[in-house]
Amino acid sequence: MDFLTKHTSCLSNLELNLAPGWQTVGAYFLLSAGGLFVLSKALTFVRVLLSLFILPGKSLRSFGPKGSWAVVTGASDGLGKEFALQLARAGFNIVLVSRTASKLTALSDEITSKYSSVQTKTLAMDFARNADSDYENLKTLVNELDVAVLVNNVGKSHDIPTPFVLTSEEEMTDIVTINCMGTLRVTQLVVPGMMQRKRGLILTMGSFGGLIPSPLLATYSGSKAFLQQWSTALGSELEQHGITVELVQAYLITSAMSKVRRASALIPNPRSFVKSVLSKIGRNGGSPDYAYSSSPYWSHGLMAYFLTCITGTMGKFVAGQNRVMHESIRKRALRKAEREKGKKST
Ligand SMILES: NC(=O)c1ccc[n+]([C@@H]2O[C@H](COP(=O)([O-])OP(=O)(O)OC[C@H]3O[C@@H](n4cnc5c(N)ncnc54)[C@H](OP(=O)(O)O)[C@@H]3O)[C@@H](O)[C@H]2O)c1
């Protein structure tokens, strides 16, 4: 008798020998395990809906009194500018950190003219340089302030979707230096003061690129996955010091970086997105399985929930769909670049 026949016959003997009572117990066990599984999924989904649509987040005031400061990196445009404006409206004084001094001055003027009681300070620094002198200047600035909120927003993606082997060394280095080193170094400057005061909020801009592997944006995707893990670990370290840490997960938002101009249900503008972040602090939104993280904008939250439900079993399929989408964006970007080159040469 070969191996298969022998084992099949053993199994059928076992089935025949099982008393009817045990078969019923087995059936009940399977049914209850299945029922519990479905119930836990349903409860998690209800939690997601409550978090996205009903429950409020922690009050921003709980992180620092009126007159305390918020530090925003990448503050001169897009999401950073909106974080600065909305935190100023909530009564925080703002330190604006970004590359272009003239844009920082313009934003500082806008804030002080809109909110007369709010003070601002600006620091122009290029995070791609990773210069000790820049971080020394920032340290001097923040050491004399009661910093209640840090928004690690500065970030760089690939200029256009590009296969990893064709990515230039400069682009790779800039993405890792700005997204990862910039965030780590700024956070190390701000955390000691927060620990002394036993309060504070640290928000870091993550991305769906850090949740789901993004072919043709591999380095950006990796840098955001790094921030996801780093921020979660930091969240656990700092919770005991009274500091709230949150990694903000986002799909597309209209901005210079995304190159999307028209807002839609899936792609909000920075104002709506930032409003959802600041009103849902401490809620997971669509990311109940990620500690110290949130996907707070309603449509992004629903997407995050469903995508993370299926990536475990369908990871290859999701990455493949992502690759096809980025290949098509790359083709269109290259065609546009060709057209513009043609216009210039005529
Ligand atoms: N937009 C999206 O669809 C999206 C989706 C997911 C996550 N995110 C994340 O959200 C964050 C903000 O993105 P965004 O779309 O608002 O970007 P954005 O509109 O391009 O603005 C980027 C900001 O960062 C500053 N910046 C860029 N490189 C810098 C450098 N080397 N040194 C100092 N400052 C620098 C820019 O300053 P200048 O004005 O001087 O250039 C600008 O203020 C990023 O971390 C991004 O990864 C965005």
Side-chain angles (χ1 to χ4, degrees):
M1 200 185 300
D2 71 356
F3 180 83
L4 196 65
T5 330
K6 192 169 156 193
H7 281 79
T8 319
S9 101
C10 282
L11 273 177
S12 48
N13 284 344
L14 191 71
E15 273 168 32
L16 287 176
N17 291 338
L18 267 183
W22 280 109
Q23 287 181 8
T24 317
V25 170
Y28 274 128
F29 176 76
L30 283 177
L31 266 177
S32 356
L36 276 178
F37 179 76
V38 172
L39 185 70
S40 80
K41 286 279 169 205
L43 285 177
T44 308
F45 188 55
V46 170
R47 212 176 113 203
V48 165
L49 294 178
L50 287 174
S51 181
L52 287 174
F53 296 104
I54 312 272
L55 298 172
K58 281 187 197 164
S59 150
L60 286 173
R61 263 296 140 252
S62 64
F63 300 107
K66 230 179 163 47
S68 57
W69 290 75
V71 175
V72 182
T73 67
S76 55
D77 211 343
L79 294 170
K81 181 175 177 179
E82 204 46 54
F83 272 115
L85 284 165
Q86 293 193 25
L87 286 165
R89 194 168 62 204
F92 290 94
N93 297 320
I94 314 283
V95 179
L96 304 161
V97 187
S98 206
R99 189 170 39 189
T100 315
S102 57
K103 287 167 86 176
L104 290 174
T105 309
L107 178 60
S108 165
D109 292 346
E110 184 180 341
I111 290 175
T112 45
S113 68
K114 271 188 181 155
Y115 311 106
S116 53
S117 61
V118 169
Q119 299 171 50
T120 60
K121 289 181 188 286
T122 62
L123 177 66
M125 64 183 271
D126 182 348
F127 282 88
R129 285 178 356 119
N130 195 25
D132 290 345
S133 55
D134 286 332
Y135 288 100
E136 280 302 320
N137 291 337
L138 183 59
K139 188 175 176 181
T140 311
L141 198 63
V142 298
N143 273 357
E144 60 197 31
L145 305 174
D146 172 351
V147 178
V149 180
L150 166 63
V151 185
N152 284 316
N153 165 76
V154 72
K156 176 179 167 57
S157 184
H158 301 262
D159 288 337
I160 63 170
T162 308
F164 176 69
V165 283
L166 300 181
T167 307
S168 71
E169 193 179 331
E170 188 189 359
E171 185 163 78
M172 270 182 340
T173 311
D174 282 356
I175 289 173
V176 173
T177 309
I178 296 168
N179 298 7
C180 303
M181 278 315 292
T183 301
L184 300 188
R185 292 190 76 174
V186 172
T187 307
Q188 266 204 336
L189 296 183
V190 171
V191 163
M194 287 183 169
M195 284 169 81
Q196 257 176 19
R197 292 182 286 275
K198 296 186 174 35
R199 58 170 163 74
L201 168 67
I202 300 174
L203 295 173
T204 299
M205 274 311 299
S207 163
F208 275 26
L211 288 182
I212 302 152
S214 299
L216 278 77
L217 300 178
T219 306
Y220 177 74
S221 186
S223 74
K224 292 295 179 177
F226 169 89
L227 290 179
Q228 173 74 54
Q229 293 299 330
W230 165 79
S231 181
T232 307
L234 186 72
S236 178
E237 283 184 29
L238 295 186
E239 192 169 37
Q240 58 196 314
H241 297 281
I243 301 167
T244 299
V245 177
E246 187 169 298
L247 192 284
V248 180
Q249 298 162 349
Y251 176 59
L252 289 171
I253 299 139
T254 58
S255 79
M257 180 190 281
S258 69
K259 300 186 180 76
V260 181
R261 292 207 190 94
R262 198 175 319 147
S264 63
L266 283 185
I267 307 178
N269 59 29
R271 182 173 303 173
S272 316
F273 184 81
V274 168
K275 195 171 164 209
S276 75
V277 176
L278 296 180
S279 62
K280 294 282 181 183
I281 304 290
R283 302 270 166 220
N284 290 120
S287 287
D289 294 337
Y290 287 84
Y292 309 102
S293 304
S294 179
S295 186
Y297 188 75
W298 71 270
S299 58
H300 292 192
L302 292 176
M303 271 171 88
Y305 175 70
F306 287 113
L307 281 170
T308 46
C309 276
I310 61 170
T311 37
T313 47
M314 298 174 71
K316 220 170 163 179
F317 171 76
V318 174
Q321 291 303 305
N322 228 344
R323 177 176 50 74
V324 170
M325 179 175 83
H326 290 139
E327 279 169 352
S328 142
I329 296 173
R330 176 177 171 76
K331 267 188 207 142
R332 275 182 280 141
L334 290 175
R335 274 205 300 268
K336 188 173 170 203
E338 274 302 310
R339 276 200 308 276
E340 273 163 15
K341 214 163 100 189
K343 269 190 219 157
K344 271 186 200 148
S345 61
T346 53

